Amino acid sequence: STRDWSSDVCSSDLVLNSFNLNAQPVCSVERGYACVFVPSKDVGKIKLFYKDSSGNRFWNIWNIKQDTEKQGKHLVFAMNGGMYTPLYKPVGLYMEEGKVVAPINLKNGDNNFCWKPNGVFAIDNKGKAQVTVSEKFNASSIRFASQSGPMILINGKVHEGFEKSTSKYIRNAVGVKSNGDVFFCISLKEVTFQELADFMLKNECLNALYFDGSISEMYCPQMNQWKCGSSFGVMVGYVE
């Protein structure tokens, strides 16, 4: 296994040696959120990560960074990318390079993942992104996909029930705009679902999906976000 428990934060001198200052994503901190905006023309560089080429779990962002560098590439940013079981396996659908690694999960329940509608974040073979309600997801021509829940925005409308939800956590999510641009964000303070939804609406997301809360973290040196040692199941990142 490539699991590395050495640190929860990447060493800045190691990171800066591999960081490409000409990276295409636009990284910024606004209104208490760290955000990464990927224009539609560069969406094909977004990847999902679960196991390496040898079949070993990545476990954390640090191991993804090391593996990416061994290939002569750069990990510009990464974050956790979907909910996982106590054994760090995907709770729902996970697809990588067109292969279904874990099947879609349409079960009902009383947890965030099962708060319907939930959804799927996917990148197709043409480098186009989508966030789709799980029941409507079509796996044909999909390169990467990760199911999570609940949906935050569905066709520009906030998920019903958010106004009554008062729980506050650090939360991260992904949204897709009408023009195909992709928007990732993580709150830098505890927020409600409604606050997260409002923020994504202000950033013109049409459909958006919740990745997770409390345990979420982002690696993005351009914004001084260095955390990359916590264990996750599926993770998402931008590689060039």
Side-chain angles (χ1 to χ4, degrees):
S1 171
T2 56
R3 194 169 194 173
D4 186 341
W5 293 93
S6 60
S7 175
D8 184 51
V9 180
C10 289
S11 172
S12 59
D13 57 340
L14 292 175
V15 174
L16 286 173
N17 286 337
S18 65
F19 180 50
N20 184 352
L21 294 178
N22 294 317
Q24 293 302 309
V26 177
C27 307
S28 64
V29 175
E30 57 175 291
R31 299 175 184 151
Y33 293 82
C35 311
V36 176
F37 162 77
V38 181
S40 59
K41 66 182 180 66
D42 297 315
V43 167
K45 295 180 182 179
I46 297 172
K47 295 185 66 176
L48 293 176
F49 301 90
Y50 181 51
K51 293 183 179 181
D52 63 20
S53 59
S54 299
N56 297 315
R57 300 263 191 94
F58 279 111
W59 292 107
N60 57 45
I61 296 171
W62 171 251
N63 289 329
I64 293 172
K65 176 184 178 295
Q66 289 185 309
D67 187 74
T68 301
E69 290 174 354
K70 288 179 182 178
Q71 300 174 44
K73 299 179 180 179
H74 301 285
L75 182 66
V76 177
F77 112 95
M79 60 165 44
N80 49 299
M83 296 181 181
Y84 49 87
T85 71
L87 296 177
Y88 294 92
K89 296 180 179 180
V91 173
L93 176 71
Y94 178 64
M95 294 180 64
E96 187 170 323
E97 299 298 351
K99 180 182 177 181
V100 176
V101 178
I104 198 159
N105 182 347
L106 301 179
K107 296 179 180 178
N108 295 316
D110 59 1
N111 52 53
N112 283 333
F113 179 89
C114 294
W115 191 357
K116 301 296 182 69
N118 55 18
V120 178
F121 168 65
I123 307 291
D124 68 19
N125 292 328
K126 295 183 179 180
K128 304 297 182 182
Q130 61 177 271
V131 169
T132 308
V133 171
S134 294
E135 285 79 2
K136 298 181 179 180
F137 178 70
N138 185 340
S140 63
S141 301
I142 295 298
R143 183 184 180 195
F144 293 106
S146 179
Q147 185 184 13
S148 193
M151 288 283 287
I152 297 172
L153 300 175
I154 307 100
N155 294 323
K157 295 183 179 180
V158 177
H159 189 295
E160 293 183 4
F162 278 7
E163 290 184 0
K164 298 179 181 179
S165 178
T166 58
S167 63
K168 287 193 172 188
Y169 292 100
I170 298 294
R171 303 183 189 275
N172 72 313
V174 60
V176 178
K177 303 185 180 185
S178 59
N179 63 358
D181 296 344
V182 179
F183 182 77
F184 296 94
C185 69
I186 183 170
S187 65
L188 302 179
K189 61 180 181 179
E190 295 181 345
V191 297
T192 64
F193 276 116
Q194 182 66 51
E195 289 170 335
L196 177 59
D198 289 343
F199 179 73
M200 301 195 83
L201 272 176
K202 289 177 181 177
N203 280 278
E204 301 179 344
C205 293
L206 182 65
N207 291 289
L209 180 66
Y210 180 60
F211 275 151
D212 217 331
S214 182
I215 50 83
S216 300
E217 65 183 33
M218 177 188 282
Y219 162 78
C220 189
Q222 188 174 337
M223 291 185 293
N224 201 31
Q225 299 293 313
W226 303 98
K227 290 186 177 182
C228 58
S230 296
S231 295
F232 297 112
V234 175
M235 290 160 279
V236 61
Y238 183 100
V239 175
E240 62 174 19

